[in-house]
Amino acid sequence: MSSAKTRSLESELGSIADIDITLLTLRKPTDLKKVIDSVPKPIRAVPKNGLPLWYRLGLESKLPVPKMPEGKIVFSRGKIGEDVRRVGLGSDAPAPTFDLTDPYCNNVSYDYVALHDPHLAHHFAQKLARKRMKLLGYCTKDGRAVCSLKEFNQYRKYLYNQFMDRVHMEMKKIDERARDDLTLKKVEVDVFRRQQIFVKAERAREHMEKVTKEHADEWAEKKRLAKEQEKKIQERMKYLAEFNAKQRKERASKAREKQNRIKQRVQAAAEMELRRKITMIRQWRTNERKRLNRLKQDREAKQKWKEDDANNKWKARVDAQNQKIQEEAILLKLYTDDMNAAAMRRAKRAEICAYNTDLELQRIRLANFKLMHGGDLKAAKLVRKMGVEFEKYKRGAKGMSKELAQRLASEAMTMAVSTQGDALMTLGQARTRMDIETLLPSAPLKLLDEILESSIREFARRRVHLLLRDIQRMVRLRAAVVFFGNIRPAPKKRELKQPRRVHQIASELSGHIGGAGGRSGSIAFGEVENIPPVTIFDTEMKSIKDRPPTPVPSKTKLAEVTFIDRLEDLPDPIAHPSYLPERKKLLEMVNAAARQISRMVNQRVHDGMDVTIGTVTLPHMRHPMEWGEAVEALASAVVDNRVNKDNAEIRRVSEFLVHRILRSLLMEMKEEKMKMKQRASSEEQKDFYVPSNVTAG
């Protein structure tokens, strides 16, 4: 299969001359590349509608000056009034700090740009100002601030410095571990080197002492000869100094004479050069007039040809780069597919071996289980015994026969469930169902099942409605305390009500659900009643510590007891709420949904608030929802046991709640700002001093 894929991909590479050479030129992933790729790269490093190869250039590279038609690419760092130095680094990047390594801004320019000042956004948003800026070419139609290629490259250099700071932080952690190992190794080498030097110095000292004793007279004679030789050298140096001084004086006199001759020649040459320049300038002016007239005639003819040629070259360049990127992608896909195919073959062989082993183990386990428990024969005997006892119990009823009793016993044992594992309870449920089927036909039973299903779903809807309402209320209260902290005055401590934690929402909901009476609009499965014992003994009961274990009867005997005893003596699975697994499971699912949704909503609401400027960022909802749709979606997930963090309905409901909370906070913030503006205007209208009525004396 991999060879067929390879041949199909190689057929698409018809224009590539040599695939092996092109594949060798591609950069393979390395450990350093993995470290760099682990750090998220800044955004907005390439302008819109840029060349394809620009997206593959590193941030350290400048964008070249391409020959392109006018208006093909517009260089812009961001929208007007947007702080591009923070937005370009991404939302998860750390805040930029002072760079003390470049105090005079030689590497990166930090000039003030008024178009990207957030405090002037309201001024540039005016219609007249925006229209004037578009006319002068300072912004585009969609509100982006236009900049030059030099300014854009400076912005790329700033992004590169911030990106490399984060990369160096990651590499520093790796280097610290290697530096510790290298330090230990250097210490060991230094200790060994010092030991060798000490041993060598001791040996040299001992050798010098021995040689000094043997050659003391010979060294004294050599020292005397050296002193005589030094005296001769000093006399020779004195003679050479006197000779050199005499020679310098003679050379200085000859240089002065030569300089005078050169000065006379230079003056004559300057006069001749002046005459030549005057003649040349006159001739040049005449030729320049002729040349300008000729260029004016040729410029208009060549203008159209240049525009057509620029458009053709630009189109050819874009096509060539797209073709190169496509060729490299196909080659890397060939390389990756070969590696994946080999891995898939190995995994498939391992999976086949594991599957065969599991089948053999299951076969052995099933054979042992049948030998230990009697297999399907024992269950068939139990059902057959139940059918016989039920036929005896209902003998004489209308339409009762042995075949009907056996069929009802088989269906009842299949439908009877007991979460506690009590055999007598399971048989009691089966008998109750068999009695109902003898009294009611199959159609009412289906109707009862549908009514039970609808009641369960209505119960889930009511609980989910209360859950979403409480989550919205609690999260909005906590977010409002943070969001309006700088605007509204803090309440007094005695009036301050501490908000509950997020994980207390589940306990509050469980209190609503587990109450005896419940809420007025909820559906409950019945109250729990304490049944008093039938008989009370006056005698003291014996301890069960040393009592022998009670023998457990077989299921066949239990079946006989079920149909022989009275129906009132058997435990009723419907009236006793502890044997209803649906209610307990629904409450567990609702509590799990409460924990997950409250955690997700609280985190996203705090991420969407900007306390500094007092605004929020509403999340983008691909599919808008209503309150009823959210309740129905979460209720379906609770009933179908699909409450987990990867569920799409949980994520949609959380996004819906986040959108509602942030929108309400935004509307309330607008009202608060309007009130503050009205108060400020009313205070400005008041006079600082109001004179009282002056009465004439």
Side-chain angles (χ1 to χ4, degrees), residues 403-416:
E403 293 78 7
L404 179 59
Q406 291 294 333
R407 182 177 63 81
L408 293 177
S410 178
E411 293 178 357
M413 284 299 294
T414 304
M415 297 300 294

Side-chain angles (χ1 to χ4, degrees), residues 338-358:
D338 291 340
M339 297 296 102
N340 293 338
M344 288 176 62
R345 288 195 295 270
R346 292 192 298 271
K348 189 173 183 180
R349 287 197 297 269
E351 185 178 357
I352 291 173
C353 294
Y355 181 74
N356 293 334
T357 305
D358 291 340

Side-chain angles (χ1 to χ4, degrees), residues 467 505-507 509-510 513 586-596 643:
L467 164 67
I505 298 175
S507 62
L509 294 176
S510 62
I513 296 170
L586 286 176
L587 297 182
E588 292 177 357
M589 288 295 103
V590 170
N591 292 336
R595 289 191 294 270
Q596 293 186 10
V643 176

Side-chain angles (χ1 to χ4, degrees), residues 245-347:
K246 185 178 180 180
Q247 290 292 327
R248 282 196 297 272
K249 292 180 180 180
E250 293 176 358
R251 287 195 298 271
S253 62
K254 291 180 181 180
R256 283 192 295 271
E257 295 175 358
K258 186 177 181 180
Q259 185 177 5
N260 292 331
R261 290 194 301 269
I262 291 172
K263 188 180 293 184
Q264 294 174 0
R265 293 177 183 176
V266 168
Q267 290 177 356
E271 293 176 358
M272 295 176 65
E273 181 68 17
L274 182 60
R275 296 191 191 98
R276 188 185 65 82
K277 286 182 178 178
I278 293 171
T279 305
M280 183 184 66
I281 289 173
R282 290 174 180 173
Q283 185 66 31
W284 178 80
R285 287 177 178 175
T286 304
N287 295 335
E288 183 67 15
R289 293 191 198 99
K290 296 179 181 179
R291 187 182 67 84
L292 291 176
N293 293 332
R294 186 173 61 253
L295 289 176
K296 185 176 180 181
Q297 294 174 1
D298 296 342
R299 191 180 297 113
E300 296 177 357
K302 291 182 180 179
Q303 184 66 27
K304 186 177 180 181
W305 176 83
K306 286 183 179 179
E307 294 178 356
D308 297 341
D309 186 61
N311 288 327
N312 294 334
K313 287 183 178 179
W314 178 264
K315 184 177 180 181
R317 185 175 184 180
V318 172
D319 294 338
Q321 292 185 6
N322 286 330
Q323 184 178 2
K324 184 178 180 181
I325 292 172
Q326 185 178 5
E327 291 172 357
E328 292 178 355
I330 293 174
L331 290 176
L332 289 177
K333 186 177 181 181
L334 284 172
Y335 179 80
T336 307
D337 288 344
D338 291 340
M339 297 296 102
N340 293 338
M344 288 176 62
R345 288 195 295 270
R346 292 192 298 271

